[in-house]
Amino acid sequence: MFKHAQLESVKAWIGDPVHGALPLHARVQRAIRQLILDGVLDVGRPLPSSRALAKSLGVSRDTVESAYSQLHAEGFIERRVGSGSFVSERAQRLPGRGKSRETSVDRKAAPRLSQRGTAMFDSGGVRDFLAPRPFAPGVPETRNFPLQTWERLERQVLKEYGSLALLHSPPQGMEALRQAIADHVNLERGARATPDRVLVLTSSQQALTLCATVLLDAGERIFIEDPVYHGARKAFDAAGLECVPVPLDEDGLRVDRLLEASKAPGNAAGAVFLTPSHQFPTGATLALDRRLAVIEWARQRQGWIIEDDYDSEFHYAGKPTACVQGLDAHERTIYIGTFTKSLFPGLRIAYMVLPPPLVAPMTVARTLLDGHSAPIPQLTLARFIEGGHFGAHVRTMRAVYAERRDVLARLVRQHLADYVETRVPAGGMQMQCVFIRDIPEREAVDSARRAGIDLLGLTALHMSHEHKAGFLMGFAAHAPHEQDVAVRKLANVLRALCH
């Protein structure tokens, strides 16, 4: 028979809610198997009869018989007619047998990774704000999304396509969605897009990874804005690229500094990364003359412009500036867009508008990452755009976000003016706040998180050391009364750090 401790261990294992999805006989079987793996049950040790164990565990005898049969089939126990069941001698040869789970593997030992794997791990990845806590940047309001309309369109897709909608999508994306995207960016962003130049992806982060690995080799240099979107820099670092920072001013990237850096010995770069419509995180818009100068830089050097147009739909004063891709007659610009922020994060649909020579290489490279995007959301989104629902939703949310931006600006002036200064952005979904007192940024971000507030520190977005500490506050996902409560909490956090 089992000792009391062993029997209690089996009971605890099968009663653990973590294992609740398993059938009862499988839980009994795996509990006994774990005792064998841990060396608690010695080789040759007799097991209780199925009747006795069933009575001790309060289960049926058939349940224990099924568990024993599976253990026998896997070679963990032997069953001898007239003698009962015993731990198999083969169990002695199991790797790690006789060692506890904590000591069988040195959990503190760093695994051997490739240089690329080490760079990816050391970067910490790109942390999404999973729950819409205030003031997580880049998180849209989803409570206003027209779910009934989306559900109706999805039903239309399933009715029309039937089981065909359950198959693979072409790696480049469903043609209906590529057509809808091309029409949308041509009309709203002044792009030069055709369906055959659109590549549908799961995220803008995937697009950045593709650009980093397909366009440039490890060790090559890429010019980036400073400060810059952290997801872009991490994608470039992970690909082994050398990021060359270019400073900004109120008109966006300092193109004169880009040209100057390009002439420096050993500073040849094959690409430049831009967020020209609404720079992340400063909110600056790249001036027209600078857009044209960057295009000319790319033409002369046969370099690439990677344009991330991540939240261009949300401009609150006048018309948004046309995208760089639409101005580039030389076709050196890769345009990246996403529906994550304009619709909802769970959609997982983004896209690139590519120069014709890059369509095939990028599409093939994409198949090595995840093959294709799910067809049903693609086809539903295509109808959502074609039916005018996307435009209507963006217009609604633009008004909502503009109000929330103004509310947050007022609340910051009212409650945080002793700690930070801010400039009200002309667009986007977040507001930059810079400390005017000696407050440790990391400590402020951590303390705010413990208080239920998510902030993105500014320091990690800069490559140079010449910057002020502070944070970004997302204002899109929270109503005015929710912002009011959260700003007051944040004021208490900053007040505590100043004393």
Side-chain angles (χ1 to χ4, degrees):
M1 288 291 292
F2 286 161
K3 295 179 181 178
H4 177 73
Q6 296 163 355
L7 182 61
E8 290 302 311
S9 177
V10 173
K11 288 181 178 179
W13 206 99
I14 65 177
D16 191 331
V18 173
H19 310 133
L22 293 172
L24 185 55
H25 72 272
R27 281 181 270 166
V28 174
Q29 176 252 330
R30 294 192 187 186
I32 297 173
R33 183 180 67 180
Q34 195 59 55
L35 291 177
I36 297 172
L37 288 171
D38 290 344
V40 176
L41 298 179
D42 297 330
V43 171
R45 171 74 177 272
L47 300 179
S49 69
S50 58
R51 186 188 304 275
L53 184 56
K55 183 177 180 180
S56 298
L57 296 177
V59 301
S60 72
R61 185 179 179 185
D62 288 344
T63 296
V64 176
E65 277 293 334
S66 296
Y68 278 3
S69 295
Q70 184 63 30
L71 288 166
H72 176 65
E74 293 177 355
F76 285 94
I77 68 173
E78 298 174 5
R79 309 201 75 179
R80 305 168 191 166
V81 178
S83 300
S85 301
F86 302 83
V87 178
S88 170
E89 291 184 3
R90 284 179 287 180
Q92 194 170 20
R93 297 192 293 270
L94 290 170
R97 176 174 158 75
K99 300 178 182 179
S100 72
R101 297 180 70 181
E102 291 300 321
T103 58
S104 60
V105 177
D106 184 356
R107 299 189 180 275
K108 294 184 179 180
R112 185 185 181 281
L113 303 176
S114 67
Q115 290 183 352
R116 187 180 299 108
T118 301
M120 293 169 70
F121 181 67
D122 289 346
S123 77
V126 179
R127 184 175 72 91
D128 286 326
F129 295 99
L130 301 182
R133 305 198 312 173
F135 291 98
V139 179
E141 174 63 86
T142 56
R143 292 170 291 189
N144 293 23
F145 185 76
L147 276 173
Q148 291 182 334
T149 300
W150 185 270
E151 183 182 17
R152 174 171 56 82
L153 295 175
E154 188 174 73
R155 285 199 305 269
Q156 291 178 7
V157 166
L158 292 172
K159 184 176 181 180
E160 179 177 338
Y161 287 85
S163 60
L164 293 176
L166 308 180
L167 301 176
H168 283 78
S169 160
Q172 193 175 338
M174 301 298 284
E175 184 176 1
L177 180 56
R178 290 190 283 110
Q179 179 69 64
I181 289 172
D183 292 343
H184 168 70
V185 295
N186 289 343
L187 177 65
E188 298 294 337
R189 303 298 302 120
R192 299 153 59 99
T194 54
D196 57 302
R197 296 175 60 176
V198 175
L199 173 60
V200 178
L201 301 167
T202 55
S203 67
S204 57
Q205 195 64 38
Q206 186 181 54
L208 293 168
T209 298
L210 283 170
C211 289
T213 53
V214 174
L215 301 180
L216 300 167
D217 287 316
E220 289 194 88
R221 297 182 174 185
I222 180 170
F223 290 116
I224 63 172
E225 301 164 322
D226 188 31
V228 70
Y229 169 57
H230 52 296
R233 182 180 171 189
K234 289 184 177 185
F236 302 149
D237 285 342
L241 308 184
E242 183 179 346
C243 294
V244 180
V246 180
L248 309 167
D249 61 19
E250 63 275 7
D251 289 323
L253 186 87
R254 291 278 305 274
V255 179
D256 60 323
R257 299 289 291 272
L258 169 68
L259 300 177
E260 180 183 326
S262 300
K263 296 176 183 176
N267 224 14
V272 59
F273 172 75
L274 301 172
T275 51
S277 297
H278 178 236
Q279 203 278 330
F280 187 96
T282 66
T285 297
L286 189 64
L288 177 60
D289 59 330
R290 297 189 183 186
R291 293 173 184 240
L292 298 176
V294 171
I295 291 170
E296 179 61 19
W297 172 89
R299 183 194 68 80
Q300 290 181 1
R301 291 178 165 268
Q302 289 298 286
W304 299 107
I305 301 168
I306 302 171
E307 178 181 13
D308 186 355
D309 209 28
Y310 65 101
D311 64 0
S312 60
E313 292 90 357
F314 302 119
H315 233 76
Y316 309 124
K319 291 276 187 180
T321 309
C323 65
V324 171
Q325 192 268 356
L327 301 172
D328 182 8
H330 312 296
E331 297 186 334
R332 306 300 305 178
T333 302
I334 296 98
Y335 178 91
I336 300 172
T338 179
F339 294 99
T340 294
K341 293 176 173 60
S342 53
L343 293 180
F344 54 94
L347 182 58
R348 309 313 301 151
I349 294 181
Y351 59 91
M352 289 195 288
V353 179
L354 296 163
L358 290 182
V359 174
M362 286 288 193
T363 302
V364 169
R366 185 269 165 89
T367 65
L368 298 174
L369 296 181
D370 68 353
H372 69 102
S373 296
I376 296 174
Q378 288 188 69
L379 294 169
T380 305
L381 176 57
R383 295 189 179 213
F384 194 77
I385 297 172
E386 293 163 358
H389 308 294
F390 177 70
H393 179 66
V394 167
R395 288 190 294 273
T396 298
M397 301 316 295
R398 189 182 294 140
V400 170
Y401 293 169
E403 178 194 8
R404 294 181 179 184
R405 174 202 61 171
D406 294 342
V407 168
L408 181 60
R410 175 178 59 77
L411 290 170
V412 168
R413 289 193 296 268
Q414 184 177 350
H415 299 288
L416 304 181
D418 290 339
Y419 314 106
V420 301
E421 62 180 9
T422 187
R423 183 193 306 174
V424 180
M429 302 164 67
Q430 51 271 327
M431 183 180 298
Q432 182 176 243
C433 294
V434 175
F435 288 129
I436 57 176
R437 298 181 63 173
D438 188 18
I439 298 176
E441 181 186 292
R442 182 71 264 166
E443 191 173 343
V445 171
D446 290 343
S447 298
R449 183 178 299 118
R450 288 192 293 270
I453 296 170
D454 285 326
L455 304 172
L456 181 62
L458 296 180
T459 296
L461 308 179
H462 289 77
M463 285 194 68
S464 68
H465 298 292
E466 299 178 3
H467 69 275
K468 294 182 178 180
F471 49 80
L472 285 181
M473 300 178 74
F475 52 78
H478 294 277
H481 70 279
E482 295 168 328
Q483 291 187 8
D484 183 74
V485 173
V487 168
R488 292 173 187 271
K489 283 185 180 179
L490 181 57
N492 291 334
V493 168
L494 297 182
R495 188 179 302 111
L497 292 174
C498 289
H499 291 88

